[in-house]
Amino acid sequence: EAGVAQSPRYKIIEKRQSVAFWCNPISGHATLYWYQQILGQGPKLLIQFQNNGVVDDSQLPKDRFSAERLKGVDSTLKIQPAKLEDSAVYLCASSSFRGRGAFFGQGTRLTVV
Amino acid sequence: DAKTTQPPSMDCAEGRAANLPCNHSTISGNEYVYWYRQIHSQGPQYIIHGLKNNETNEMASLIITEDRKSSTLILPHATLRDTAVYYCIPRGEYGNKLVFGAGTILRVKS
């Protein structure tokens, strides 16, 4: 089966600019996650969708981060305006109800300068 | 969310078994133990999961203690490509989030 697709792979922006990341989950997976991974740390969940509804966004900095999942398939994560501390890898993952946890994409490495 | 404790790092000789421990003493009765690994510059990869019985697949074996307070992931014949960060994660099986800790850095050396 095709894996989780993310784009772009790398992005460099200046602070206060905006940026968007795109994720296409595995076909048929109802649950979609966005994680932030800062260098040297484990991934941190930002937001979890079940179909196109938000299940958990308790750790999403809502003053600058937003995410949507239109039609319960693709998802976009946006940062506006970016700060230096947003430099990280942004990982998208998806899962179905049948065990095996979640499948992750390669991630987008964001550098804010 | 159940808290886990893993050693920060471990070394293993190539071809030998790698045994990675995890303490999850606060795991709840309906939570499975999931193991993931993350190779440099890649997203986390699922390895194996179990509830209370030992499990084995093509990648690894998982040994869970009878009281479920700890588990060990076993890579039977470690290769250089097994060098990665390994995460132990308690999780309900259906649709729940994965909460990652710091994990164990496994270095396989020739």
Side-chain angles (χ1 to χ4, degrees):
Chain A
E1 61 185 358
V4 176
Q6 290 188 248
S7 67
R9 282 281 280 141
Y10 305 93
K11 190 75 175 179
I12 301 174
I13 62 172
E14 294 183 350
K15 60 183 179 184
R16 292 187 289 274
Q17 285 188 322
S18 63
V19 64
F21 313 126
W22 174 81
C23 173
N24 185 14
I26 292 173
S27 177
H29 280 193
T31 306
L32 185 147
Y33 314 82
W34 282 102
Y35 284 82
Q36 179 193 59
Q37 186 171 26
I38 292 172
L39 187 64
Q41 299 179 16
K44 182 183 83 171
L45 180 70
L46 292 176
I47 189 167
Q48 177 183 347
F49 291 95
Q50 185 68 28
N51 296 308
N52 59 351
V54 175
V55 174
D56 184 345
D57 63 356
S58 57
Q59 297 199 82
L60 186 74
K62 298 181 185 65
D63 57 334
R64 298 184 302 106
F65 286 64
S66 65
E68 60 182 7
R69 189 180 184 197
L70 299 175
K71 301 181 181 179
V73 183
D74 292 8
S75 178
T76 303
L77 177 70
K78 297 180 181 178
I79 307 174
Q80 182 179 11
K83 294 184 176 181
L84 296 177
E85 58 261 36
D86 298 332
S87 293
V89 175
Y90 291 84
L91 295 159
C92 179
S94 69
S95 69
S96 68
F97 283 114
R98 298 187 183 280
R100 286 188 61 118
F103 293 84
F104 285 79
Q106 294 268 56
T108 296
R109 181 176 298 277
L110 173 67
T111 302
V112 183
V113 297
Chain B
D1 300 324
K3 184 176 174 60
T4 60
T5 302
Q6 297 181 254
S9 64
M10 297 180 64
D11 290 340
C12 178
E14 189 178 21
R16 304 299 290 267
N19 297 284
L20 294 100
C22 179
N23 182 294
H24 36 76
S25 58
T26 61
I27 193 170
S28 63
N30 64 346
E31 285 185 314
Y32 288 69
V33 180
Y34 279 76
W35 282 83
Y36 275 74
R37 73 179 182 184
Q38 188 171 24
I39 296 170
H40 183 61
S41 296
Q42 296 184 21
Q45 175 192 24
Y46 166 86
I47 301 173
I48 197 168
H49 76 288
L51 184 62
K52 55 184 178 182
N53 298 319
N54 298 339
E55 301 288 345
T56 296
N57 64 18
E58 65 279 4
M59 291 183 68
S61 294
L62 174 60
I63 308 296
I64 303 173
T65 58
E66 192 169 344
D67 62 9
R68 300 205 336 115
K69 292 184 177 181
S70 66
S71 62
T72 301
L73 179 75
I74 301 171
L75 307 179
H77 306 286
T79 71
L80 298 178
R81 289 176 293 181
D82 292 322
T83 292
V85 180
Y86 287 77
Y87 299 98
C88 159
I89 306 172
R91 174 183 185 258
E93 185 174 23
Y94 297 117
N96 288 15
K97 62 186 177 185
L98 288 162
V99 179
F100 289 82
T104 296
I105 300 171
L106 175 69
R107 300 183 189 90
V108 181
K109 300 182 177 182
S110 58

